[in-house]
Amino acid sequence: MCMKLGKNRKSGGIAFCREIKPFTGVLLGLSAPAAVLLLWYTAGERGWINQAILPGLSKTIKVAGNLITDGTLWSNLAASISRVIKGFAVGAVLGVVIGTFMGLSKVFHSILQTLVGLLRPIPMVAWIPLFILWIGIDDGFKVTLIALGTFWAVLLNTIHGIRSVDPKLLEVSTALEKDRLTVIGKIILPSALPAILTGVRIGMGTAWSCVVAAEMIAASKGIGYMIMFAREMAQPAKLMVGVFTIGVIGLLIDTLILKLQKKLIRW
Amino acid sequence: MEKKEVNKIEIEGVGKSFDIKGKSVEVLKSIDLDIRKGEFLTIVGASGCGKSTLLRLIAGLDTPTVGEVRVDGKPVAAPSVKTGIIFQEARLFPWLSVEKNIEFGIHEKLDKEEKRAKVAALIDTIGLNGFEKALPKQLSGGMQQRVNIARALINEPDILLLDEPFGALDALTRINMQNEVLKIWSDRKTTMVLITHDIDEAIFLSDRVVILSDKPGVISRQITVPMSKPRDRSNGDFMRIRRLIYNEFFENSDIDYVEYYI
């Protein structure tokens, strides 16, 4: 992780930052959340905060326990995850395919460029009323919204990845008389892979924010719905459990994608 | 082809201009050069004299503005696997292992086993046994360049074009690589065209040295090196030819001669 000049610190070289052991890294990474939790706990126990609007840590954990044991959290989470998987899969596949064509063909790129430029800046939430109108309030509109959100991130990064292939490598394949299909499959796509995976990672983040937003507006199940329902019922602890669940799941997925990235891109 | 002597490469009246900001810049001008089958020819010249462009024209990666380049009597229209080209940078695919990089070069339809055997033989030639599965980033610059050479050799080309292939290597590695190229040349009887600005390298390797002057690139002199190979770099003839080439360079350019003796 560290930029190094010469040898490492121990042997007297110059390093811009200190290397740390993996275990120490995990420990350090946990230290800041632990501090926040400790502060939260103390504030709750000492009565520094108004528990009616900001419940303390012990109360929140108790409520979380209840939500887990009675199955509420799981069933809502499962509904959200299934929507994310569907929408993300559609959006990512379309993003890679259309992005590849746009990256490879100047004509195709010119045709779609303005349309993409026009539609992409529209915030995902702005689509919600329209999608409800067109598709209805069922899963269909949520999945569509997630697909669209994922699509933009994957599309832009795929185009970028395809276009930034090293022309020197392309020249090598020209000299070796390789046909276009081989060049695309063996050179252009592999060299675009890191960028595509970055798009996938960003797209996954968008997918999560889309599902929560959609569920907060129209749903009878899902994490977003759970948050909204808790708000209406004035259950701040449940609300917080909902919000932090999104954070935890987000972190897990991001770690997973990073692991995948490391495995796929060894160069 | 019942001509008196077979010319592998014929360059006739070749000129090349590029459009740079709407202005036509002449890079090469009326180049006439015949390269015999099996000859080792070196082109030396200052940087920017168009020597790489000339090589690209022979490779079919570019087309001349005027004139014609012929290989085996036929005009070069597109790149061919029978003409291998080796660039200064190894240009390996970073996501492919050493053996996969070499295998990528294969042009003919072969089954797995035949491919494997071909690649293994070349890995043996370049002396990278044990590094088959290594990725390019795990190799030194010299090793990467060996893989590059193997990839170009896999189709058994009868012409090998080398565009400053050792320019980025350290002096010791460079001498090693020069010996290996010489070995490939004598084993395979490949016609070699080397571009370099290393005068010693040119004399050590080639049968003929062509000096290109710049702006625009024209052939200012050709010097035959009538010594048997491998050559002794400290030999008197070697020194004499080196002086010949040096003089050619520093008399014809506006660089102050004396500056080089500081």
Side-chain angles (χ1 to χ4, degrees):
Chain A
M1 289 291 147
C2 277
M3 283 259 275
K4 268 194 226 160
L5 288 175
K7 292 165 194 158
N8 65 27
R9 204 180 159 86
K10 265 187 196 150
S11 48
I14 310 155
F16 284 128
C17 68
R18 205 189 321 192
E19 281 294 350
I20 49 172
K21 287 185 190 126
F23 179 70
T24 322
V26 171
L27 226 59
L28 287 174
L30 288 174
S31 64
V36 171
L37 287 179
L38 186 69
L39 183 69
W40 185 12
Y41 175 77
T42 321
E45 297 306 298
R46 296 280 172 92
W48 296 345
I49 47 176
N50 178 1
Q51 298 250 4
I53 53 167
L54 175 54
L57 179 61
S58 24
K59 181 158 186 226
T60 309
I61 287 176
K62 221 178 84 195
V63 171
N66 289 339
L67 286 171
I68 290 169
T69 44
D70 73 2
T72 317
L73 188 67
W74 292 132
S75 66
N76 283 311
L77 196 58
S80 298
I81 289 177
S82 117
R83 288 167 187 147
V84 165
I85 290 173
K86 287 179 206 152
F88 175 81
V90 173
V93 169
L94 284 178
V96 170
V97 171
I98 298 178
T100 304
F101 279 114
M102 284 181 77
L104 289 174
S105 150
K106 288 225 161 73
V107 176
F108 204 70
H109 190 266
S110 306
I111 293 172
L112 289 181
Q113 194 180 18
T114 319
L115 187 68
V116 169
L118 196 74
L119 296 179
R120 198 186 53 84
I122 300 172
M124 284 304 125
V125 279
W127 288 108
I128 294 177
L130 271 177
F131 283 176
I132 292 179
L133 191 66
W134 295 339
I135 308 168
I137 57 163
D138 291 334
D139 266 13
F141 109 79
K142 300 176 193 85
V143 171
T144 310
L145 190 78
I146 295 163
L148 189 67
T150 308
F151 175 73
W152 294 132
V154 177
L155 179 82
L156 290 191
N157 282 285
T158 305
I159 296 173
H160 170 73
I162 298 275
R163 293 199 147 188
S164 46
V165 55
D166 187 351
K168 289 180 171 175
L169 294 183
L170 294 181
E171 202 171 65
V172 168
S173 57
T174 312
L176 290 167
E177 287 191 68
K178 297 294 172 188
D179 57 83
R180 195 157 163 76
L181 223 59
T182 312
V183 172
I184 293 171
K186 294 243 168 110
I187 301 173
I188 298 182
L189 283 178
S191 74
L193 190 61
I196 293 175
L197 285 178
T198 304
V200 162
R201 201 176 152 204
I202 300 170
M204 192 41 120
T206 321
W208 266 101
S209 45
C210 284
V211 77
V212 174
E215 287 169 351
M216 285 173 93
I217 291 188
S220 54
K221 226 177 195 177
I223 284 289
Y225 162 77
M226 194 182 107
I227 293 169
M228 241 17 216
F229 188 74
R231 187 190 75 98
E232 278 159 30
M233 295 287 122
Q235 296 171 310
K238 192 171 168 185
L239 221 158
M240 292 188 62
V241 172
V243 171
F244 287 125
T245 305
I246 298 170
V248 171
I249 300 291
L251 177 67
L252 283 179
I253 292 175
D254 205 48
T255 315
L256 226 68
I257 295 178
L258 276 177
K259 280 247 158 69
L260 182 78
Q261 222 164 358
K262 260 201 182 145
K263 216 178 156 75
L264 284 178
I265 302 164
R266 295 183 300 133
W267 64 91
Chain B
M1 295 219 184
E2 53 274 68
K3 282 192 216 160
K4 45 226 152 29
E5 186 165 66
V6 190
N7 281 326
K8 188 71 190 169
I9 305 167
E10 293 160 318
I11 300 169
E12 202 183 301
V14 161
K16 177 76 183 171
S17 308
F18 288 106
D19 265 346
I20 296 167
K21 287 184 188 161
K23 267 172 82 181
S24 176
V25 177
E26 196 174 31
V27 179
L28 290 172
K29 193 179 172 181
S30 40
I31 304 281
D32 287 301
L33 187 63
D34 288 339
I35 301 165
R36 289 188 316 276
K37 193 168 189 292
E39 185 175 6
F40 201 130
L41 182 111
T42 300
I43 302 167
V44 292
S47 66
C49 73
K51 47 194 192 319
S52 289
T53 307
L54 186 57
L55 207 68
R56 293 174 60 85
L57 295 179
I58 302 172
L61 289 167
D62 250 326
T63 45
T65 317
V66 288
E68 195 173 63
V69 178
R70 289 185 297 271
V71 168
D72 292 328
K74 288 188 230 43
V76 176
S80 154
V81 288
K82 286 287 135 198
T83 303
I85 183 159
I86 291 162
F87 299 99
Q88 178 171 352
E89 332 82 49
R91 299 195 184 183
L92 301 178
F93 303 113
W95 52 86
L96 294 181
S97 64
V98 165
E99 52 179 8
K100 292 285 174 198
N101 259 294
I102 299 173
E103 196 190 300
F104 180 83
I106 298 180
H107 187 62
E108 33 179 353
K109 283 261 169 287
L110 295 176
D111 64 42
K112 252 192 163 147
E113 198 43 48
E114 288 169 312
K115 280 185 181 175
R116 205 200 53 76
K118 256 189 133 167
V119 171
L122 270 174
I123 286 182
D124 209 46
T125 308
I126 57 168
L128 279 186
N129 311 70
F131 289 93
E132 289 86 350
K133 306 281 179 219
L135 288 173
K137 69 165 182 187
Q138 295 165 308
L139 305 178
S140 69
M143 288 159 102
Q144 288 184 12
Q145 198 55 290
R146 279 164 207 265
V147 179
N148 185 18
I149 291 172
R151 183 173 61 184
L153 285 177
I154 197 140
N155 295 309
E156 286 150 31
D158 23 67
I159 300 172
L160 207 53
L161 308 172
L162 303 116
D163 190 356
E164 298 186 32
F166 317 129
L169 305 177
D170 64 88
L172 288 176
T173 313
R174 192 183 305 175
I175 290 172
N176 266 328
M177 298 292 283
Q178 287 165 359
N179 286 328
E180 271 175 56
V181 163
L182 210 52
K183 195 169 174 306
I184 290 166
W185 175 77
S186 57
D187 285 353
R188 298 179 182 235
K189 312 274 178 272
T190 319
T191 308
M192 300 270 199
V193 183
L194 169 77
I195 280 179
T196 185
H197 45 231
D198 180 338
I199 292 167
D200 279 16
E201 181 171 286
I203 306 167
F204 181 71
L205 292 172
S206 45
D207 303 319
R208 184 156 52 122
V209 180
V210 170
I211 300 169
L212 222 57
S213 68
D214 57 353
K215 285 167 199 148
V218 288
I219 296 176
S220 66
R221 186 159 185 182
Q222 301 194 29
I223 295 163
T224 355
V225 186
M227 299 160 67
S228 65
K229 294 180 211 174
R231 291 169 180 159
D232 176 2
R233 290 171 206 256
S234 55
N235 175 294
D237 280 340
F238 200 101
M239 300 297 197
R240 190 181 52 80
I241 293 169
R242 181 200 280 160
R243 195 172 317 127
L244 216 60
I245 300 176
Y246 262 95
N247 287 344
E248 187 64 34
F249 265 102
F250 299 121
E251 275 169 8
N252 287 353
S253 74
D254 21 309
I255 307 167
D256 189 358
Y257 191 76
V258 188
E259 242 184 87
Y260 286 80
Y261 289 95
I262 293 173

